[in-house]
Structure formats: structure tokens, C-alpha cells
Amino acid sequence: MPNVETAATRAAQPLSLEETLSAVGEAAYDWDVASDRLEWTANARALLQLPPSVRIDEAARFESLLDPEALTTRRSAVFGASQADDGAGVPFEIEYPLLRGGRAQRLWLQDRGRWYAGSDGRPQRVVGVVRRLGDHQERPGEIAVMSRFDPLTGQLARARLIEIAASALAAGARMQTSSSFALAALVNLGAINDAYGFDIGDRAVVEVARRLRGAMRGGDSLGRFSTSTFGVVLQECDASDLQVAGRRLLAAVNEEPMATEFGPVSVRVAVGAVVAPRHARDTTELVSRARTALDRASGVSSGFSIYAPDPEREAARRAHVRLADELVAALNAHRVALAFQPVFRADSREPVWSEALVRVRTEGGDLISGGPLVEAAEEVGIVHMLDHRVLDLAIRKLAADPDIRLAVNISASTTNDESWMDALTSWFTLRPDLAERMMVEITETAAIADIVATSRFVADLRALGVKVAIDDFGTGHTSFKALKELAIDLVKIDGSFVRDLGRSADSGAFVRALLALSRELGFETVAEQVETETVAEMLTAWGATYLQGSLLASPSLRSDAVHRQA
């Protein structure tokens, strides 16, 4: 039986702050942001189950104990807040796991506090309490990790990285500070895959992620942006800071080869970055201009570039915006149509299917090629609108004409557009017979931009019964091994090589090699932009399966020419 007198005596005595916090399972802290000093109540170490040797007297040291897969941290909650301090402080409440050993030893904490701004409006002091959470947090945490983190590298998924970038932009606008965004691309991943296989390629991606993470500053965020590219959000980072941080990221990856069972393998990245808000006011500009810088970085010996305005490029961007506006107006007014250019069997010259090409009718009634508008839509980021309209028009044409077969072109972004695939699946649910008469063309550059996403997209199409072609082949230096992995049906040789066949011996040798390798690997081939009978006969002799071009038929709004199946 409990000692009633002792319990009563204890109840009558006032408790110290530490005793009160211990009684309710909490520990308090006071963080001086400028010095990074972090003071705790005396019960903190026991609450967090940390040995005396582990230091938590600085915010950076405490953050180093967090699980790298934590969705948020105290620092990101404070510096990423959209609310300003009006004198009463700004409250926050977050949850994160403390990693005390292996993944099975994570300790989930709730962190509730308030930050106060200095005279410059930036966080100066943060006070709060942490409380241990029960095991019920583990499963929700795992679900969150699966949905918001890259499964291969364990780093942030692209969507989550963009969210953090948006928060950094908002915080910078509120506190009048700069942040930066960098893209680091593994430039020799294709060569590694070809030489050593995709398993070593995956290990290279993981190793790059590890090295980038190790070279980052405290409070910055790393995410996997695409198959071979990582994004880094750098908090409170101006141009001079970015110079130092960017070169440190480069050196961390490039200066030492990766050890494998095949021996040392070189891993190399190029880094392109942009400072915001100086050169990027929203996440769209942030990503676009970091890509521009990355393109420049890939072409210089240093492998590093920071975005700077280019008057010619800005003029081109404004022109793209104008054309994109025209496209939106045409879509809204139902002035987008399809023209059809037949593809012919090389040996018999019989039409087999038609490629659906975008045409736009101007307000004055003229019909123009959609090519420039498509390019502008891709640059501005609205090409998905056009891809959806083309899909709708193509499906309706297939449904109306049971004899026609059609190929439709899609943009790179559509390979990640679930709504486009949902629309296609819905159509085929109603009309499953249409699938076998449809082909989807993906440009080579789009295919290799994100091999993982493209592979998934191709598999989904083939599961529906749709054939898949790689368009403009020869321009992106994709290996045939990668094509085999994608399991595509057909290769379309870029027309720039075909046009030169009568004048260039190099183009002839290149096209012959492409045709021979394609035949060896079981791919059918289409030679585009065939304009003369001499070129057509050369291609047929070299083994091209199909021919397409003005010699045989020009694009037309009428599809009467193609009413036979292969």
C-alpha cells in the first residue's frame, strides 16, 4: 500500500521547473540563433535518452542527431515560416524522429515553441518544449517517408523539395534575405550504366547523394530531382555564399572515384544554381533558371555556373510567353486540329499508319504548324494542356474511323502526368478496341531525361496494348542497351540525318549503323523526312522498315490515304 503521508507531503511541496517538466514528460529549451547556443532544462538528456558524451548545446549539434529522413526540423519551421513576428512572437508545432542508433531506435518528438524576431525582422530567439511521442508515430512516419522521399537514395522527393524551395522564397521575401537553388547532375551516368550495368549506376546515384549531403551546410535540403539530377535548397545563401557552397558540392563528388568490385569508377557532376529572389520570384523561375545554369555548367570545364540574365534568352522567353498565350487562346476557342502524315512500308510503299501533327487555325482563318507553339508551351510549362487536347482529338478520330491507325507525340512532362494516363485508361475502358490502333511517340531526349519515369510510362502503355516509338533517335546519344531496357517497339531515325544522306558520307555511315543495330535488336525502324527517291531507295536497301516524308505524302487534314493495316 502506498505511503499516504509521503505522497501527501510531496503533493504539498512546490515543484521546480525541471520537476514540473519531468512530471509531464517534457523538456524546455532556449535557442540563441546568432550564436547557435542551445540551452536545455536539466532533465532534457534523460528525456531524450542521450548519454553524457552526446552534446546538444548547439542547435546544429542537436539537428545532427535527427533522422535524415525527417520531414521537417526546428530550423526549417522557424526560417520557413510565412508569418512575420508582430511583437508577440510566432508559434510553431512540429514532429520529427531522433535517431539514436539504427532505424529501429528512432525516438519521435513533438516540438512546440515560439520564435521572436530581432530588429531586422529575422528570427533571433527561439523558446519551446519537446515531448516524447509513443510508438504510434512510427507507422505514419514510414508512410510519409514512402510518399515524400526517393526510395533509392532516401533523399527528398522532387515535390517535397519544391515545397521547401517555396518556403525559402517566402521567408526570403519576408525577411529580405537571399536563398539559392542548385541542380547537380550526374553527367556520366549513361556511361556508367553502359560499362558496368544499371546496378552500379544505381550505386553511383546513391553515392552522389551521400557525398552531396556530406558537403551541404546545416539547414539546407537535398532532394532527387530526376534520374540523374539532385536539387539543393540553400537557405540564407547569397551569390558569394553560393560560389563557395557550389564548388564544395562539386569537389565532394568529383575529386574521388567510387570503389566498386570492378575497380574505381569516376563519378562526375555539373552544378547549375540561381540566387533568389534576385533572379527567381517563384518556384517555376527557380527551376527554369537553375536548369539554364546547369546547361551552361555542362559545357564549361569548371562544371559550375550561376545563373545570370542573358538579354537574348530573355527576349526568347518573352516570345515563348506570347506564343504560349496564343496557344491557350486557340485551345479555348477549339482552333487546334490534327493533320495526318502517313508512314509507308519501305518495300511495298503501302501506307500503314499516320502520325498526328498539331495544326492551329489563327483568328484570321489561316492554318499554321503547331511546332513553334509546342516549343513555347514546353518552355513556359503548359504543354500538358496541348497533350491532353491532342489525345482527345486522336481518340475521337480512332473511334470515328475504324480503319485508321494513329501515332501521337507527347512531351517529356507527360511521362510524369498521371492525369494524361488516367484519361487514356478511361477512353480504353469504354473502347478497348482502340488501343491496338494507337502508338505513342516519345522523343529520345525526353526518354533519357528520366529513364525511371519513362520505363514506368512505357510499361503502362504496353499494358494497355499501345505501341511505343522513340522519336528523333540519334540526337540524344541514347544507348541501344537503354532502348532495350525501355522495351519500346519502334525507332524513328531523326530526319536531320536522313536529309543529309545524299550529301554526307558521315550521315550515311551513321544511319546504316543505326538500322543494322536496330534490326539486330529486333526494333522496327522509320526513316523520317524522306524527300527524294534516291534517299528512299538507299534506306530501303539498308533495311529501313518504314519511310515517312514529303516524297511519299505531306501532312493533310484528311486521313483518307491511310485505310489499310500492316
Side-chain angles (χ1 to χ4, degrees), residues 193-372:
N193 285 335
D194 287 345
Y196 305 104
F198 286 97
D199 287 344
I200 298 297
D202 285 347
R203 281 171 54 185
V205 171
V206 172
E207 177 65 11
V208 168
R210 186 189 68 80
R211 294 184 184 187
L212 291 174
R213 166 64 68 184
M216 285 166 49
R217 311 173 312 160
D220 293 344
S221 302
L222 175 67
R224 194 177 184 194
F225 202 77
S226 68
T227 300
S228 58
T229 304
F230 291 89
V232 184
V233 178
L234 300 102
Q235 307 276 359
E236 297 193 72
C237 181
D238 59 20
S240 59
D241 295 331
L242 182 57
Q243 284 281 357
V244 176
R247 297 189 185 282
R248 187 168 62 244
L249 294 173
L250 266 178
V253 177
N254 293 350
E255 289 185 353
E256 183 180 345
M258 176 181 73
T260 74
E261 57 268 34
F262 302 102
V265 173
S266 173
V267 285
R268 300 195 63 80
V269 296
V271 176
V274 60
V275 178
R278 183 178 182 183
H279 295 309
R281 294 161 295 179
D282 54 39
T283 55
T284 299
E285 286 188 346
L286 200 71
V287 171
S288 174
R289 291 177 176 178
R291 279 176 169 162
T292 299
L294 180 60
D295 288 342
R296 293 174 184 169
S298 300
V300 297
S301 58
S302 67
F304 178 60
S305 176
I306 296 177
Y307 174 85
D310 182 334
E312 291 185 6
R313 182 174 178 83
E314 287 302 307
R317 188 189 66 81
R318 287 192 294 271
H320 281 141
V321 171
R322 184 175 66 255
L323 288 173
D325 289 342
E326 292 178 12
L327 176 61
V328 171
L331 287 168
N332 291 336
H334 299 282
R335 289 189 278 108
V336 174
L338 296 181
F340 306 95
Q341 184 173 33
V343 176
F344 295 81
R345 190 174 292 281
D347 52 7
S348 65
R349 302 292 175 91
E350 290 183 300
V352 183
W353 75 87
S354 280
E355 181 179 359
L357 303 169
V358 175
R359 295 292 183 266
V360 176
R361 196 171 297 281
T362 66
E363 292 181 345
D366 297 327
L367 199 67
I368 62 173
S369 169

Side-chain angles (χ1 to χ4, degrees), residues 102 115 118 501 560:
W115 63 266
L501 284 182
D560 308 48

Side-chain angles (χ1 to χ4, degrees), residues 520-548:
E520 195 71 27
L521 293 171
F523 297 129
E524 292 189 311
T525 51
V526 178
E528 301 179 292
Q529 299 186 29
V530 179
E531 299 174 351
T532 68
E533 185 62 38
T534 300
V535 168
E537 291 175 356
M538 291 169 62
L539 290 165
T540 303
W542 293 343
T545 319
Y546 305 101
L547 305 177
Q548 181 182 12

Side-chain angles (χ1 to χ4, degrees), residues 421-456:
M421 184 62 72
D422 289 343
L424 182 67
T425 304
S426 298
W427 272 110
F428 289 165
T429 300
L430 297 172
R431 291 291 306 272
D433 57 303
L434 303 183
E436 65 177 3
R437 293 192 283 122
M438 183 175 174
M439 181 185 297
V440 171
E441 295 186 12
I442 308 170
T443 63
E444 181 187 7
T445 50
I448 64 175
D450 192 336
I451 287 288
V452 174
T454 303
S455 298
R456 183 172 59 247

Side-chain angles (χ1 to χ4, degrees), residues 136-220:
H136 68 281
Q137 286 294 320
E138 187 64 28
R139 182 56 186 160
E142 290 176 358
I143 294 172
V145 165
M146 290 173 62
S147 64
R148 309 193 77 177
F149 288 81
D150 172 55
L152 177 63
T153 64
Q155 303 306 318
L156 295 167
R158 176 172 172 169
R160 174 58 180 156
L161 187 71
I162 296 300
E163 289 177 6
I164 293 175
S167 295
L169 283 170
R174 175 171 49 79
M175 295 184 287
Q176 297 185 335
T177 58
S178 295
S179 62
S180 296
F181 180 71
L183 290 175
L186 178 51
V187 295
N188 63 332
L189 178 60
I192 292 173
N193 285 335
D194 287 345
Y196 305 104
F198 286 97
D199 287 344
I200 298 297
D202 285 347
R203 281 171 54 185
V205 171
V206 172
E207 177 65 11
V208 168
R210 186 189 68 80
R211 294 184 184 187
L212 291 174
R213 166 64 68 184
M216 285 166 49
R217 311 173 312 160
D220 293 344

Side-chain angles (χ1 to χ4, degrees), residues 18-183:
E18 285 79 3
E19 289 173 327
T20 301
L21 290 169
S22 296
V24 297
E26 295 181 347
Y29 61 83
D30 187 336
W31 173 23
D32 179 74
V33 175
S35 66
D36 206 38
R37 188 185 71 255
L38 186 62
E39 295 184 353
W40 295 86
T41 50
N43 65 322
R45 198 174 295 277
L47 179 81
L48 302 177
Q49 300 178 352
L50 296 174
S53 59
V54 176
R55 293 179 57 184
I56 54 173
D57 56 341
E58 294 178 356
R61 292 182 182 276
F62 178 70
E63 287 177 10
S64 70
L65 303 178
L66 302 188
D67 190 326
E69 295 181 350
L71 295 180
T72 189
T73 65
R74 183 187 302 148
R75 190 182 299 271
S76 63
V78 171
F79 284 94
S82 57
Q83 183 180 348
D85 180 11
D86 58 5
V90 179
F92 64 89
E93 181 175 329
I94 55 175
E95 296 175 1
Y96 48 76
L98 193 69
L99 194 61
R100 296 168 296 139
R103 292 300 304 276
Q105 294 179 294
R106 294 192 303 178
L107 177 67
W108 280 88
L109 303 175
Q110 180 188 64
D111 192 331
R112 294 180 295 115
R114 185 176 292 265
W115 63 266
Y116 299 90
S119 58
D120 58 0
R122 300 171 61 184
Q124 178 175 301
R125 184 185 181 194
V126 185
V127 297
V129 294
V130 294
R131 180 171 66 90
R132 288 174 54 181
L133 297 173
D135 293 338
H136 68 281
Q137 286 294 320
E138 187 64 28
R139 182 56 186 160
E142 290 176 358
I143 294 172
V145 165
M146 290 173 62
S147 64
R148 309 193 77 177
F149 288 81
D150 172 55
L152 177 63
T153 64
Q155 303 306 318
L156 295 167
R158 176 172 172 169
R160 174 58 180 156
L161 187 71
I162 296 300
E163 289 177 6
I164 293 175
S167 295
L169 283 170
R174 175 171 49 79
M175 295 184 287
Q176 297 185 335
T177 58
S178 295
S179 62
S180 296
F181 180 71
L183 290 175

